[in-house]
Amino acid sequence: MSSGKPISGRGGAARTDLAAPTSEAVINALPLPVLTVGSDDRILHVNHAGETFFDHSARLMQRRRLSDIIPFASPIIALVAEVRRRRASVSEYGVELVQPRSGLERSVDVFATPLGDNDEVVVLMLQERTIADKMNRQLTHRGAARSMVALGAMLAHEIKNPLAGIRGAAQLLEQSGNEDDRLLTRLICDESDRIVRIVERMELFGDERPVERGSVNVHGVLDQVKRSAQSGFARHIRFVETYDPSLPPVLGNRDQLVQVILNLVKNAAEAVGADAVDGEITLSTAFRTGLRLQVPGSRERVSLPIEVAVRDNGPGVSADLLPDLFDPFVTTKAQGSGLGLALVAKIVGDHGGIVECDPVPRRTTFRLLLPMSSARDGRESSAEL
């Protein structure tokens, strides 16, 4: 037991032991939801992260049973029973958890253990898989983008030149053909032009020239995108803005960020549909702490506190499509090339950030997590408007 007196440390320096934190303070400091469940499955304690996760206060949750905040048929209920039966810790990964209050579906890893010698009291810790999946998918997106670099360069040479010859031959035939022949030659020219446009978009993946980056006011970018959309493809859609006014500037290239967000807004408008009478797109920003991403080829870890989100009230994204959503040539549009979101993933990856999709019907959200711009001395730098 510490006497509270100074203790001589290395080199004769004196130090004073700090008072040990209480167990409750330690649990509340954890960033993961932790719940203590009694013998009748009544919730005895929940930490601060658990209150945020379940969107309930600790006082309210302590009046309820586990089945009140988790569906009765959830594997988590059975997991608690198994811990009591085996009197040992049990873990389960990738459990789908639907919260009754919000209907929000999450994938979590669950860790359950008896509390000391009391086999009836179980401690539950949940770890949402979103962050881990983001990291894995981000690496996949970057790998797909790198493969597109070589593919784009190859297609530029191997396809565009022969297409020019095909189009020229079709134009010559058009001059001497009848009306039916001219319809076919015009079709050849139009389709050749369409293929050239696709190849030109793919060439963007092969552009490895360094891009100048600096401090960018992301609200200025969002305002430009909104004005452009409202004057064209999204004139029939209502925009809602939910911004953090104290948001620091982003480290990025303004033109590329405009391209990324414009692409996401256009996709949102197409998901809402041209005939929608209640179409709505929400643009939002927020400052998030705690997410850091290791830079490929380096031990450096970059913080990604700037969140920019584009949400629409369209029908959502198919679960089958979600794992490959940012891969090239993946699209649900009849006339789409499937390169827009692949290019978004490349640009965001080049910025050292993450792009993620939450495909909830009527509130599908594409979320960008980006690095913050700082001055050389660590102070926030002024942003370009």
Side-chain angles (χ1 to χ4, degrees):
M1 180 180 298
S2 172
S3 64
K5 298 179 180 179
I7 300 174
S8 178
R10 184 177 298 178
R15 66 179 176 85
T16 301
D17 285 348
L18 299 175
T22 65
S23 57
E24 183 174 358
V26 172
I27 297 225
N28 280 329
L30 293 175
L32 302 178
V34 177
L35 296 85
T36 305
V37 182
S39 57
D40 57 353
D41 279 352
R42 190 173 298 278
I43 298 170
L44 304 178
H45 180 268
V46 58
N47 69 346
H48 294 333
E51 291 179 285
T52 302
F53 183 85
F54 289 101
D55 195 22
H56 282 301
S57 68
R59 179 177 298 181
L60 181 62
M61 292 179 68
Q62 286 166 359
R63 300 174 185 170
R64 300 187 174 189
R65 287 184 167 81
L66 190 61
S67 57
D68 293 329
I69 63 170
I70 293 175
F72 181 77
S74 171
I76 297 177
I77 304 292
L79 195 67
V80 171
E82 185 176 358
V83 169
R84 294 193 181 112
R85 180 178 59 82
R86 294 173 53 180
R87 300 181 179 180
S89 300
V90 179
S91 303
E92 189 160 339
Y93 299 89
V95 176
E96 296 302 322
L97 174 61
V98 180
Q99 294 175 231
R101 180 179 180 184
S102 64
L104 183 64
E105 183 174 343
R106 292 167 166 172
S107 179
V108 297
D109 298 335
V110 186
F111 308 92
T113 185
L115 181 61
D117 297 330
N118 191 337
D119 298 329
E120 294 300 315
V121 179
V122 176
V123 177
L124 280 174
M125 183 172 72
L126 310 178
Q127 181 173 18
E128 191 172 2
R129 294 192 56 85
T130 304
I131 298 299
D133 291 343
K134 282 180 182 177
M135 300 302 182
N136 292 335
R137 281 197 289 268
Q138 185 66 13
L139 293 176
T140 302
H141 303 338
R142 288 177 178 173
R146 283 195 296 269
S147 67
M148 288 295 293
V149 171
L151 183 59
M154 180 273 291
L155 286 175
H157 180 267
E158 299 296 334
I159 294 182
K160 288 177 70 176
N161 290 340
L163 279 175
I166 293 172
R167 194 182 194 286
Q171 288 176 320
L172 290 175
L173 289 174
E174 186 177 10
Q175 296 175 3
S176 58
N178 56 35
E179 185 62 27
D180 291 339
D181 292 337
R182 281 195 290 273
L183 289 174
L184 293 175
T185 54
R186 176 48 50 191
L187 177 62
I188 293 173
C189 291
D190 291 343
E191 289 300 297
S192 298
D193 291 342
R194 187 173 68 86
I195 295 173
V196 168
R197 288 194 296 270
I198 293 175
V199 173
E200 286 175 344
R201 293 190 66 188
M202 293 182 64
E203 284 185 288
L204 295 173
F205 289 91
D207 189 357
E208 295 297 320
R209 293 173 297 178
V211 177
E212 183 178 354
R213 294 192 177 95
S215 297
V216 179
N217 183 342
V218 74
H219 294 144
V221 172
L222 289 167
D223 183 60
Q224 179 179 339
V225 170
K226 176 189 170 186
R227 284 188 281 108
S228 176
Q230 287 183 318
S231 64
F233 58 83
R235 61 170 58 93
H236 63 294
I237 296 175
R238 186 171 75 95
F239 277 78
V240 178
E241 296 164 287
T242 308
Y243 295 160
D244 180 351
S246 63
L247 198 71
V250 170
L251 177 62
N253 179 274
R254 181 185 172 87
D255 291 340
Q256 287 191 341
L257 291 176
V258 168
Q259 182 180 7
V260 165
I261 298 175
L262 186 62
N263 192 306
L264 295 180
V265 170
K266 186 175 182 181
N267 283 353
E270 291 174 349
V272 169
D275 300 326
V277 295
D278 61 344
E280 181 178 286
I281 294 176
T282 301
L283 305 177
S284 64
T285 62
F287 189 86
R288 307 294 187 194
T289 59
L291 178 59
R292 298 174 66 86
L293 180 67
Q294 185 167 347
V295 178
S298 170
R299 293 185 178 181
E300 179 185 2
R301 299 182 70 84
V302 178
S303 179
L304 304 176
I306 310 297
E307 177 183 292
V308 182
V310 177
R311 185 172 72 240
D312 66 72
N313 61 349
V317 178
S318 167
D320 296 336
L321 189 64
L322 186 61
D324 306 313
L325 189 61
F326 295 94
D327 288 347
F329 304 115
V330 175
T331 182
T332 58
K333 305 172 188 175
Q335 302 298 323
S337 62
L339 295 176
L341 289 178
L343 186 58
V344 166
K346 178 184 184 299
I347 293 175
V348 173
D350 289 345
H351 278 68
I354 287 176
V355 56
E356 183 64 16
C357 175
D358 294 333
V360 182
R362 304 296 295 176
R363 58 176 188 270
T364 298
T365 305
F366 281 86
R367 186 175 292 106
L368 308 179
L369 298 174
L370 298 167
M372 178 178 65
S373 176
S374 299
R376 290 184 182 273
D377 60 1
R379 294 180 291 106
E380 293 179 7
S381 56
S382 59
E384 300 172 3
L385 297 178

